[in-house]
Amino acid sequence: PDESLVEAAIERVVDATDPRLRAYPNYRKRLHAGVQRSVAYVQGLIDGLPEPVEISRRSFSTDPRLRAFFASPDRMQQALGSAPSLVEFLANCRGPYPEYIFGLLAPEMRERKSLGMALEGDQVRRDVLQEVVDFSDHRFFGASGNEEDARKEMKKRAFDYLSVLALRRIVDVEEKRSELERQKGLLQRKLDAMRGGNWGLETMPSQEDGDHPAYHSLEERISAVENELMNLPCHEAGLENRFACINAILEKPEEWLSLSPLDLHIDVMSLKVNDPADAASKPLELTKFRALNGGTRVALFGYFPRAELPPEKDFFKEAARFLG
């Protein structure tokens, strides 16, 4: 990737994690390899998305993916019209609004078990265990007036996703370290109390009396806590640890962010087809990726006419209607 883009990405990840890292004169050099690797990976990932498809009332009747995502064209327009990225794009748009708005539609996909009816031959069976596929929490990323800008915005969002993971890693490590330090201090105090005989126990036996089981167990536990502390990523204290945490994510972006094709076989009732060979309809061609909360989202790169967006609400009319 272009060096100026890498430099900008370095500053962006520092802002997202800990701006105090700029106190190190060589902070750019220490993050350069990982950021360069992630930027190149994200560029290839987003550039590899299929061509955008139309997302409109007209295409709703012909595209089974849209009918699977939304209950009706009205629900689709409401979801798109309220998307934060779209609201922000329109608020910052200079000049006339574009005719079409591009972006990535990404609902969350969930699969659940349900009891229902199924037709087997000429008989209807009840209480048949079925798999239902639900789509909810419809997100729309990278709202822009053309395909090129939309891909740029998605690349930015993808890189920001890695930055968030790096920050989460820093927080998790610090929380883990704090807990281990607390455990170590508690165990050490218990051990000191046992040694002094001040914890309601008998005086510690002399060396001639052999090892004391409880004493030996506490020493082993303290040693285990110390080893776990030392084996933690970024185990040293201070800002120095942040670099290792960030690079652990950015140097291997493929482990945290990936897009993969998904052929989903469902019927008109959103029931998963067990034997795709018997299905009359074609599978839904989607792209899936792992969400930050551990769930699964599917992605559909597309565009929709701005004229189909629901009209903006008039605050004063809404307030008058509410107040009667």
Side-chain angles (χ1 to χ4, degrees), residues 278-297:
D278 296 337
S281 59
K282 295 181 179 180
L284 305 182
E285 297 180 356
L286 302 169
T287 301
K288 70 174 182 177
F289 64 95
R290 182 175 54 191
L292 191 59
N293 62 1
T296 300
R297 289 190 178 273

Side-chain angles (χ1 to χ4, degrees), residues 17-131:
T17 52
D18 193 339
R20 295 175 299 172
L21 294 177
R22 293 190 176 95
Y24 289 82
N26 63 341
Y27 76 94
R28 291 189 184 91
K29 181 178 180 181
R30 299 180 67 171
L31 295 174
H32 187 277
V35 170
Q36 186 182 52
R37 173 81 174 85
S38 285
V39 169
Y41 177 77
V42 165
Q43 285 182 327
L45 203 65
I46 302 303
D47 288 340
L49 284 172
E51 293 296 315
V53 300
E54 183 176 342
I55 304 174
S56 65
R57 300 185 74 91
R58 179 182 62 181
S59 61
F60 185 87
S61 60
T62 58
D63 195 329
R65 294 170 294 189
L66 299 180
R67 296 197 300 274
F69 293 166
F70 301 98
S72 67
D74 292 336
R75 294 290 297 273
M76 178 180 70
Q77 290 180 334
Q78 290 173 4
L80 294 174
S82 60
S85 67
L86 175 66
V87 174
E88 181 181 1
F89 168 70
L90 295 179
N92 297 326
C93 188
R94 298 179 178 178
Y97 288 149
E99 182 179 359
Y100 292 95
I101 297 175
F102 291 74
L104 190 71
L105 177 61
E108 185 173 8
M109 185 181 74
R110 295 181 180 178
E111 299 181 27
R112 57 182 174 87
K113 303 289 186 180
S114 176
L115 294 177
M117 295 185 297
L119 182 64
E120 292 187 0
D122 297 332
Q123 296 183 344
V124 176
R125 288 188 55 193
R126 299 179 182 274
D127 296 334
V128 178
L129 187 62
Q130 300 170 328
E131 285 187 87

